Amino acid sequence: MSRLQRILVTGGAGFLGSHLCERLVKDGHDVICLDNFFTSQKSNVQHLLDCSNFELIRHDVTHPLWLEVDEIYNLACPAAPGHYQYNPIKTMKTSVMGAINVLGMAKRCHAKVLQASTSEVYGDPEIHPQPESYRGNVNPIGPRACYDEGKRAAETLFFDYHRSNGVNMRLVRIFNTYGPRMHPYDGRVVSNFIRQALEGQDLTIFGDGSQTRAFCYRDDLIEAMIRMMNGPDDFVGPVNIGNPGEFTIKQLAELVIELTGADVTLVTRPLPADDPTQRRPDISLARERLRWEPTVALREGLGKTIEWFKSIDLSTFRPPTPNF
Ligand SMILES: NC(=O)c1ccc[n+]([C@@H]2O[C@H](COP(=O)([O-])OP(=O)(O)OC[C@H]3O[C@@H](n4cnc5c(N)ncnc54)[C@H](O)[C@@H]3O)[C@@H](O)[C@H]2O)c1
């Protein structure tokens, strides 16, 4: 195991951030979770509050930070379309000013910093699967641009701080990830389908359901992020992290119906603007450099996620925006 570190996780109360904090606390590190709770709730990290190596700070990453740490995982950013499109200017600020603030802190205290980037930097890709060398097909003025271009600008900042200031950084491009603690009202396809099925509602498919996505279970993703942070300093990324297994949205819907046993059917709605038709990671680089690949099959991961959705009280979750 790596030496014990003081680690800051921004967005640490979110879906992925809370699992990352949990893992780092379990590994004995001194963990600071920072979040403004825009798309998350304290219950995600409540079970960690009694741990002597865990601290929780309410703070917005668009404002400067002043902490002494050895490592930073920068996850703070609304990630689901209904969340990031609610206040697109704030989304862009969170990506860009958040990156400047964590990079400034990393520079000052010589911390290693990992950026949670996204497959959205590839936009609506023209090549499949997408390798890291693909430069993307993003509409800079569309409704998804606040997120896609914000994350692209953050990537630029990470590489410029690395080249110009010698900041020790890592960059991972995360593809669709799902699992327990996804916000039930985040509007993402997995949470939508499960919530609808458990509530006995028909599952809403946007378009004809032939568009494809690849789904990575959260434990696989967290393992990859930690391997990347602890990997050699000459491998900064970007590196794709995701599950290359490709499914149509219709196949996903049918699997959710089968696993929940719900007596529901599928209803279709028009496809939103700039929705990618196909998305699948090329993970050759992660396989080679991180010795990593996903281990959890969709059926197994969905089963665990459905069990978690059954265990929660939906009335305790506040939809963060009206856009879900
Ligand atoms: N889950 C995925 O499929 C996926 C895919 C690609 C990239 N990512 C990236 O991973 C990170 C985590 O995503 P997630 O799925 O856990 O989403 P999430 O919405 O559950 O987590 C994001 C967290 O950041 C916090 N946050 C948002 N704006 C903030 C701000 N200005 N200051 C402080 N905290 C702020 C939110 O309250 C939330 O707790 C994000 O950066 C996202 O872009 C996730």
Side-chain angles (χ1 to χ4, degrees):
M1 198 178 80
S2 59
R3 200 167 57 84
L4 294 186
Q5 308 279 8
R6 292 165 302 172
I7 304 180
L8 169 67
V9 181
T10 75
F15 159 49
L16 294 177
S18 62
H19 289 291
L20 180 60
C21 286
E22 195 174 284
R23 165 78 186 268
L24 295 171
V25 165
K26 197 159 141 244
D27 288 348
H29 297 291
D30 198 352
V31 178
I32 303 170
C33 165
L34 180 150
D35 209 296
N36 71 350
F37 302 108
F38 172 46
T39 58
S40 56
Q41 50 286 316
K42 286 179 207 143
S43 57
N44 282 351
V45 288
Q46 183 128 26
H47 59 297
L48 298 175
L49 291 176
D50 286 337
C51 301
S52 56
N53 56 338
F54 180 78
E55 279 168 83
L56 177 60
I57 300 176
R58 182 190 279 267
H59 183 82
D60 191 312
V61 287
T62 60
H63 298 291
L65 315 165
W66 198 264
L67 295 164
E68 304 297 326
V69 291
D70 304 304
E71 291 179 358
I72 306 165
Y73 289 85
N74 187 36
L75 274 65
C77 187
H83 294 170
Y84 67 65
Q85 287 167 358
Y86 173 65
N87 185 343
I89 297 164
K90 177 66 193 263
T91 299
M92 180 68 99
K93 281 185 182 172
T94 297
S95 271
V96 174
M97 293 164 73
I100 291 171
N101 286 328
V102 296
L103 284 161
M105 188 163 87
K107 181 182 163 196
R108 181 178 57 79
C109 53
H110 304 291
K112 208 189 314 182
V113 56
L114 179 146
Q115 166 69 354
S117 192
T118 169
S119 56
E120 300 283 341
V121 299
Y122 300 125
D124 189 0
E126 299 124 320
I127 58 165
H128 299 281
Q130 294 88 49
E132 291 82 354
S133 55
Y134 177 54
R135 292 188 185 170
N137 176 35
V138 175
N139 173 3
I141 55 168
R144 301 173 78 107
C146 58
Y147 182 70
D148 303 4
E149 296 290 12
K151 288 283 190 181
R152 286 170 71 95
E155 290 201 1
T156 306
L157 284 161
F158 268 73
F159 272 85
D160 282 336
Y161 267 78
H162 178 60
R163 278 188 292 256
S164 309
N165 298 113
V167 168
N168 191 356
M169 67 85 172
R170 309 282 191 271
L171 201 147
V172 294
R173 290 185 180 149
I174 302 170
F175 284 66
N176 263 350
T177 303
Y178 69 99
R181 291 197 210 131
M182 299 184 79
H183 197 292
Y185 295 107
D186 65 9
R188 290 189 244 200
V189 66
V190 172
S191 32
N192 258 5
F193 284 172
I194 296 178
R195 191 172 43 80
Q196 288 180 318
L198 293 180
E199 288 183 331
Q201 296 168 12
D202 291 341
L203 274 49
T204 315
I205 290 194
F206 294 96
D208 63 3
S210 63
Q211 67 273 39
T212 65
R213 293 290 184 275
F215 302 97
C216 184
Y217 188 63
R218 56 115 213 256
D219 292 354
D220 284 330
L221 192 278
I222 300 299
E223 177 61 30
M225 281 175 106
I226 289 177
R227 283 192 196 197
M228 186 62 184
M229 180 65 108
N230 294 309
D233 287 346
D234 67 351
F235 182 50
V236 299
V239 61
N240 288 338
I241 305 293
N243 191 322
E246 197 173 0
F247 296 83
T248 66
I249 294 297
K250 191 154 177 269
Q251 282 173 321
L252 177 74
E254 285 163 354
L255 191 52
V256 168
I257 293 176
E258 181 198 324
L259 293 174
T260 53
D263 184 17
V264 296
T265 180
L266 311 180
V267 288
T268 55
R269 293 242 197 97
L271 206 57
D274 295 338
D275 197 53
T277 47
Q278 203 179 3
R279 181 69 72 57
R280 181 160 77 97
D282 176 339
I283 59 163
S284 319
L285 192 60
R287 279 198 175 107
E288 184 197 323
R289 298 299 306 264
L290 304 178
R291 302 254 170 272
W292 173 88
E293 63 184 329
T295 57
V296 181
L298 183 61
R299 176 176 285 273
E300 181 191 347
L302 271 185
K304 291 181 180 170
T305 311
I306 289 168
E307 284 314 304
W308 179 79
F309 270 78
K310 281 184 187 166
S311 75
I312 58 171
D313 174 2
L314 280 179
S315 68
T316 61
F317 287 83
R318 182 177 54 91
T321 77
N323 299 359
F324 70 91

